[in-house]
Amino acid sequence: MSMIRDLRAAVRPSLRKSNTPYNDYNTTRDPSASSAVVDCAVYRDGVRMPDLVSLTPREAMRRVHEGGGFAWIGLHEPTEAEFAGIAAEFGLHPLAVEDAVHAHQRPKLERYDDTLFTVFKTIHYVEHAELTATSEVVETGEVMCFTGPDFVITVRHGGQGSLRALRKRLQDDPELLAKGPSAVLHAIADQVVDGYLAVADAVQDDIDEVEIEVFSAPAKGSPRGIDAGRIYQLKREVLEFKRAVMPLLRPMQLLSERPMRLVDPDIQKYFRDVADHLARVQEQVVGFDELLNSILQANMAQATVAQNEDMRKITSWAAIVAVPTAVCGIYGMNFDHMPELHWRYGYPMVLCGIVAVCLTIHRTLKRNGWL
């Protein structure tokens, strides 16, 4: 029986959110521990070592050096002071530490001596009843991962992308977790990319809705097209999504194709699956951007056509009104000697002539599509 069977099932994020706080192993907290540390544990042969109190990072590494295994330390938005001790304990590179503390980094993969530093952008779809010009469609966060021979340090920024459920699922599969820190790195990458897939499907629904509104026949009396601000806002959100997906493709290809001492060979092959899913999302996001460009141009063209139609109608009625205006203007001049000025039937004949000419112009313009 393969040690990595059911890998995908083990690391796939559940669509259901747990309402139970993750405190199975942490009953009390060491006052000396950093307030940014969410969880700190030691794993040997894929099993979490039981602790009476929460471990500090230094205590976790002491136990790793004494009995083997690896330490997994999770932090949430640490300050420079909170992260300084951990960085010194694990010998993290200052440049990577600066990126981890200040966040707002592009997805990337960097190697510093015996440590891999990976940055992921997490994407969360924001539910909304109706898309408006100010709707927030996607919300971003960040997960940084320091992967060493015997430790994993995850640093999370933002309110999304919690790793608690992921840690619990991995602990339920000791065979997988026994593969070491690279198994944790793969699980994080897989969860992030699976989140991209879910967001891409939701954004596709928003784009379909906008597309239908733009190209459907408007109700009688309603203007053609929709508010361009809605399309532009959706395009901005897709651009944010694109910034998270595009730079991550190269790191996933490196993890899946290039042999690395810190990545277990049995785990490395599964990075190919993550890279394939990421490539699929990349194609979708690029397609979203191009489609929104086309929809925006079509909406603007419809608005221009509607304006041209209104101008033609205004011009047509102006031409019709010009006939009685011209006739009444001519015969409104107070001259004594004017043709047919004192003719008995002149007034009704002029009125009939005006009506006949106006009707002729109206019929001609309507036949030509101007009215």
Side-chain angles (χ1 to χ4, degrees):
M1 182 173 60
S2 174
M3 297 181 64
I4 53 175
R5 69 184 188 280
D6 301 327
L7 177 63
R8 302 301 300 165
V11 298
R12 285 287 185 188
S14 172
L15 295 179
R16 298 190 297 266
K17 294 183 179 179
S18 174
N19 294 323
T20 304
Y22 186 74
N23 57 4
D24 297 342
Y25 301 93
N26 296 325
T27 56
T28 60
R29 176 166 293 279
D30 186 347
S32 64
S34 170
S35 60
V37 176
V38 177
D39 199 357
C40 179
V42 174
Y43 298 88
R44 291 175 187 162
D45 298 325
V47 178
R48 177 168 179 156
M49 296 293 97
D51 302 307
L52 298 178
V53 295
S54 296
L55 291 176
T56 63
R58 177 171 297 180
E59 176 65 18
M61 285 309 297
R62 185 185 66 79
R63 295 192 180 188
V64 168
H65 293 156
E66 291 177 353
F70 72 93
W72 181 357
I73 303 165
L75 301 98
H76 181 248
E77 298 183 353
T79 63
E80 292 185 11
E82 291 171 335
F83 201 44
I86 297 176
E89 179 69 27
F90 291 89
L92 304 181
H93 196 279
L95 292 177
V97 171
E98 182 181 1
D99 290 345
V101 171
H102 297 289
H104 303 296
Q105 304 298 316
R106 295 176 72 252
K108 60 184 177 180
L109 172 66
E110 295 178 342
R111 180 168 182 174
Y112 297 98
D113 299 326
D114 290 335
T115 304
L116 289 178
F117 177 61
T118 315
V119 178
F120 301 95
K121 282 278 190 181
T122 58
I123 299 292
H124 171 70
Y125 180 76
V126 180
E127 297 289 344
H128 46 268
E130 182 182 0
L131 180 66
T132 66
T134 58
S135 294
E136 185 179 15
V137 179
V138 296
E139 183 180 1
T140 62
E142 292 181 45
V143 174
M144 288 90 162
C145 186
F146 294 88
T147 309
D150 52 7
F151 68 86
V152 176
I153 302 174
T154 54
V155 182
R156 185 168 61 89
H157 290 267
Q160 305 299 327
S162 175
L163 302 177
R164 289 183 176 179
L166 174 65
R167 185 189 288 257
K168 185 66 170 64
R169 283 194 300 273
L170 286 174
Q171 290 173 171
D172 291 338
D173 189 355
E175 255 185 308
L176 173 62
L177 202 53
K179 291 295 181 179
S182 60
V184 178
L185 178 61
H186 168 264
I188 294 173
D190 188 65
Q191 175 170 287
V192 170
V193 174
D194 281 347
Y196 292 168
L197 290 170
V199 172
D201 292 339
V203 172
Q204 179 70 66
D205 293 339
D206 283 337
I207 295 177
D208 290 343
E209 180 182 344
V210 169
E211 187 176 19
I212 291 173
E213 290 185 28
V214 169
F215 292 102
S216 61
K220 187 176 181 180
S222 300
R224 298 190 63 180
I226 64 174
D227 180 14
R230 295 173 59 191
I231 305 176
Y232 186 71
Q233 177 66 14
L234 187 55
K235 183 173 174 59
R236 285 179 60 88
E237 297 297 303
V238 168
L239 179 60
E240 188 73 17
F241 192 6
K242 188 176 181 180
R243 289 172 180 166
V245 174
M246 300 293 283
L248 186 59
L249 187 59
R250 181 58 180 166
M252 290 301 101
Q253 290 174 342
L254 291 176
L255 288 171
S256 63
E257 298 172 359
R258 181 178 298 178
M260 296 185 181
R261 186 165 55 87
L262 295 173
V263 179
D264 189 284
D266 290 333
I267 295 296
Q268 186 173 33
K269 64 183 70 173
Y270 286 95
F271 277 107
R272 298 173 194 164
D273 186 59
V274 177
D276 289 341
H277 287 177
L278 188 62
R280 171 188 161 191
V281 177
Q282 180 192 27
E283 293 175 358
Q284 285 182 285
V285 173
V286 172
F288 292 162
D289 195 27
E290 295 176 353
L291 182 58
L292 284 172
N293 283 335
S294 300
I295 293 174
L296 185 59
Q297 292 175 0
N299 189 64
M300 294 177 64
Q302 287 184 346
T304 302
V305 169
Q307 290 177 354
N308 290 339
E309 290 179 354
D310 293 339
M311 289 302 298
R312 288 195 300 180
K313 291 179 181 180
I314 294 172
T315 303
S316 299
W317 286 111
I320 294 173
V321 173
V323 174
T325 301
V327 174
C328 295
I330 292 173
Y331 281 93
M333 294 185 294
N334 297 320
F335 290 109
D336 291 333
H337 304 287
M338 292 183 67
E340 296 84 30
L341 187 61
H342 301 287
W343 186 31
R344 182 175 183 179
Y345 301 103
Y347 179 70
M349 288 296 295
V350 169
L351 289 181
C352 291
I354 290 174
V355 171
V357 173
C358 290
L359 289 175
T360 301
I361 295 175
H362 183 275
R363 183 178 179 183
T364 302
L365 292 174
K366 192 169 186 179
R367 186 170 60 244
N368 293 334
W370 282 58
L371 286 175

